[in-house]
Amino acid sequence: VAGGHHGTDEPVKVASRITFGLGLFLFVDSLIYFFTAYERTGAALLFIVSLALFYLTLVTRGAAKGAEELSEEETPSASEEKAEEEAVVGPTIWPFGFSVAAIGLVLGVVLSHWLLVLGGIFFAASALGWFTDIRRQHAHMDHGDPAAHRPVEGV
């Protein structure tokens, strides 16, 4: 492999493309289903799955970018030290936020549409909060801040 770094991040890039393609397909499918079948529950569920696949696309693209940067900038011994540092990430409330959002989405599809909207808003807020929290923790780790290894207060 020329360049030396294509082997480790290529499967992640392929996974990112696949999840994006599936998400796009299901998004378009949900729109078609919504306007042709007049069955709202199925269309809403297809839309929710497409959002989940778009989220996975963001995660896998970030992983591929991180793998590229790691293979281009660091020696093997430094990358092992970095992997040990990154294993210590402070706890966060956002996975709980995702579970509450999932409950809101499911109840919204089954019971009432206003719960669906509320669940969608809470899902977006949880995704934004988690990305911000992890980015902040990684920024502290990159600058050698020992406080980055302690849990973030107020979260």
Side-chain angles (χ1 to χ4, degrees):
V1 174
H5 71 276
H6 295 288
T8 59
D9 61 340
E10 193 61 34
V12 179
K13 286 182 179 179
V14 170
S16 176
R17 288 186 205 119
I18 289 171
T19 56
F20 179 76
L22 287 172
L24 187 62
F25 172 78
L26 287 176
F27 176 74
V28 171
D29 190 38
S30 71
L31 290 176
I32 292 170
Y33 193 68
F34 180 81
F35 289 112
T36 59
Y38 304 106
E39 197 267 314
R40 307 295 186 233
T41 304
L45 291 173
L46 286 169
F47 180 73
I48 290 169
V49 172
S50 73
L51 287 179
L53 287 168
F54 287 139
Y55 176 75
L56 288 174
T57 300
L58 289 174
V59 171
T60 55
R61 282 190 181 169
K65 183 179 176 186
E68 278 182 7
E69 291 173 358
L70 185 64
S71 65
E72 290 175 357
E73 296 177 358
E74 298 180 349
T75 62
S77 62
S79 67
E80 290 173 8
E81 292 173 12
K82 179 96 172 178
E84 288 177 17
E85 286 179 14
E86 288 185 18
V88 181
V89 176
T92 180
I93 191 76
W94 298 114
F96 176 72
F98 273 118
S99 64
V100 172
I103 291 170
L105 291 171
V106 170
L107 289 176
V109 169
V110 175
L111 298 177
S112 176
H113 294 296
W114 69 269
L115 285 172
L116 183 65
V117 172
L118 188 65
I121 291 169
F122 210 74
F123 182 88
S126 295
L128 181 65
W130 201 355
F131 278 129
T132 304
D133 196 19
I134 296 298
R135 175 177 274 163
R136 183 179 61 235
Q137 289 179 19
H138 282 272
H140 288 296
M141 290 163 108
D142 290 341
H143 296 300
D145 184 5
H149 299 289
R150 290 193 308 259
V152 178
E153 294 183 28
V155 180

